[in-house]
Amino acid sequence: MSEVIKNRYEFVVLFDVENGNPNGDPDAGNMPRIDPESGLGLVTDVCLKRKIRNYVETVKEDTEGFKIYIKEDIPLNRSDREACKSLGIEETEDKKVTDALKKLKKSDPDADIKLRDYMCSNFYDIRTFGAVMTTFVKASLNCGQVRGPVQIGFARSIAPVISQEVTITRVAITTEKDAENKSTEMGRKSIVPYGLYRAEGYVSANLARKVTGFSEGDLELLWEAIINMFENDHSAARGKMAVRELIVFKHSKELGDCPAYKLFDAVEVRKKEDVEYPRKYQDYTVEIHEEKIPDSVEVKRMV
Amino acid sequence: MGVGVKVRVWGNYALFSRPEMKVERCSYDIITPSAARGILEAVYWHPGMRWVVDKIHVVNPVQFTSVRRNEVKSKILASNVLQVYNGAKKPLYISTKADIVQRASLLLRDVEYVIEAHFEMTERANETDNPGKFKDIIMRRLRRGECFHMPYFGCREFPANFCLCEEEDIRTAYDEVEEKDLGFMLFDMDYSDRTHIQPMFFRAVMKQGVLDLRDCEVVR
């Protein structure tokens, strides 16, 4: 495995959606998330992390060191019992397992840390985003909580988005009973005609070095995953989504060279003046104000 | 004191969960002293020092918004990990289909605070450590925007921008409000007994936009 990252990073992702629903709001009947006061569209951090996990899972196919912990299918705890056997614990009582664990805990006070490191080295998403683990010893601080180096905020659209209800029909009826009375069923979809969203993220080299061991190779994979996060995520609901810009700021030091907000402020995304209703990416301009960025920070446009 | 700092922090969203409403999370009206301490620790911390928050200035008016998200409800089981660690061949992951739960969070939006704090030395400091050294490191980091990890407002998805606050006079949205009682709030957790961590609460009363924590009564 390659070396642990040595630099702090910040990144800005611009992605757009055309005639689709980037992130449904469970509170609003799965309509696109909209900030009610400003009218700006929202995409949650967890939505984007899901896409990154899915991409890594697709590409790496569970190879050693690139497993994904939080998956979309297959139930949890399926073969607990099997595992007990291979541990040499023939009894399949839960109590026996607990006892064995207690014994281990007594003989090895660092067991929690060892297990944490084991999880970090095996699972890409834990190494990247962190995870919460139960611990053997009650109230043993933080052994079970892994903070990953990569932190992503909510994505917001540049201009207010409108959500449009599209009513659709289908000719196949689900139940026999309904089929007697009607020949079509109505459904509805909510779409955003067009929206350009901006997400901001942070990579802490310190957490990578001290906790999870997030490496240069992992970072490359993260960029690749962000760039391609919508390419394998097409569905009826999403419409056309694409990452338009990934701007990466690489600090020269582990702790960074300047505040993150200064770098983010240097990336200006504007609607072109003659455009009233933006409907395509070309209706916007993206400008990076180099003069606001310290020389020691390296700026890379990855898309 | 000589070892005090003033830090301005701001961000789009914040969520300081009330412990009594943490399944469907609901934020306190303002930042808790423990969250403020966490922000400072994200910038700089050392075992030889301990942050003490003195005052919190509530610069922006309190506004709420809500977000409902799909979340998982389970944690990684240490026992499962141990079995796999010891060579068991078994799937080790959480399935979101089975473990999904939809939870709403009541968030604060457009928050800005000025945190006044100082640090105290602890007995875990090395011989070469002294308050001056720590203070220099802290000031340097605040000026340059360096941090151990990006500080956040309660949850990691709500990053907190920070800078050194150099103004003497801090304007707040509540300058005209004589007194606003925010009820009982979490003060911090008491970690002195590691096997029995206890929450501590205090009566938060904001006076002209400032929450003074220097002389407050803490209840367990």
Side-chain angles (χ1 to χ4, degrees), chain A residues 193-211:
Chain A
Y194 184 81
L196 179 65
Y197 291 76
R198 171 182 175 143
E200 293 168 354
Y202 314 81
V203 185
S204 156
N206 269 294
L207 286 176
R209 178 164 61 85
K210 291 187 182 149
V211 187

Side-chain angles (χ1 to χ4, degrees), chain B residues 100-163:
Chain B
I100 205 165
V101 56
Q102 288 191 338
R103 284 184 184 152
S105 315
L106 192 63
L107 321 175
L108 293 170
R109 56 183 201 85
D110 291 327
V111 294
E112 181 167 341
Y113 306 101
V114 173
I115 302 166
E116 277 187 59
H118 70 275
F119 61 84
E120 286 166 5
M121 305 295 284
T122 65
E123 67 275 20
R124 288 169 71 200
N126 300 323
E127 274 170 29
T128 52
D129 290 336
N130 61 60
K133 172 179 159 185
F134 285 157
K135 169 97 178 174
D136 282 350
I137 298 175
I138 292 158
M139 297 309 267
R140 199 162 57 227
R141 286 202 181 176
L142 287 172
R143 284 211 182 88
R144 292 188 192 162
E146 300 177 344
C147 55
F148 180 84
H149 62 82
M150 194 62 192
Y152 46 89
F153 287 120
C155 299
R156 290 194 81 196
E157 56 269 37
F158 312 123
N161 296 311
F162 63 96
C163 71

Side-chain angles (χ1 to χ4, degrees), chain B residues 23-185:
Chain B
V23 175
E24 298 239 302
R25 288 176 295 262
C26 171
S27 179
Y28 278 117
D29 287 2
I30 60 164
I31 188 170
T32 60
S34 60
R37 176 179 58 85
I39 288 179
L40 297 169
E41 284 174 356
V43 177
Y44 182 70
W45 181 78
H46 185 276
M49 64 176 283
R50 186 166 64 88
W51 281 108
V52 181
V53 179
D54 299 321
K55 277 186 186 178
I56 292 168
H57 301 257
V58 184
V59 179
N60 282 359
V62 176
Q63 303 172 82
F64 287 97
T65 184
S66 103
V67 165
R68 186 179 293 272
R69 287 176 284 183
N70 290 328
E71 302 177 3
V72 291
K73 59 183 181 207
S74 32
K75 295 187 207 171
I76 301 173
L77 290 174
S79 51
N80 265 7
V81 180
L82 181 73
Q83 288 160 3
V84 177
Y85 182 72
N86 286 338
K89 285 247 182 301
K90 60 179 290 194
L92 184 62
Y93 49 79
I94 287 178
S95 154
T96 49
K97 275 212 184 94
D99 274 271
I100 205 165
V101 56
Q102 288 191 338
R103 284 184 184 152
S105 315
L106 192 63
L107 321 175
L108 293 170
R109 56 183 201 85
D110 291 327
V111 294
E112 181 167 341
Y113 306 101
V114 173
I115 302 166
E116 277 187 59
H118 70 275
F119 61 84
E120 286 166 5
M121 305 295 284
T122 65
E123 67 275 20
R124 288 169 71 200
N126 300 323
E127 274 170 29
T128 52
D129 290 336
N130 61 60
K133 172 179 159 185
F134 285 157
K135 169 97 178 174
D136 282 350
I137 298 175
I138 292 158
M139 297 309 267
R140 199 162 57 227
R141 286 202 181 176
L142 287 172
R143 284 211 182 88
R144 292 188 192 162
E146 300 177 344
C147 55
F148 180 84
H149 62 82
M150 194 62 192
Y152 46 89
F153 287 120
C155 299
R156 290 194 81 196
E157 56 269 37
F158 312 123
N161 296 311
F162 63 96
C163 71
L164 188 68
C165 174
E166 292 178 287
E167 300 100 271
E168 275 303 307
D169 220 19
I170 296 151
R171 311 282 312 159
T172 75
Y174 296 94
D175 277 350
E176 309 299 317
V177 182
E178 200 50 51
E179 203 172 280
K180 189 173 157 76
D181 192 338
L182 303 173
F184 274 101
M185 265 176 77

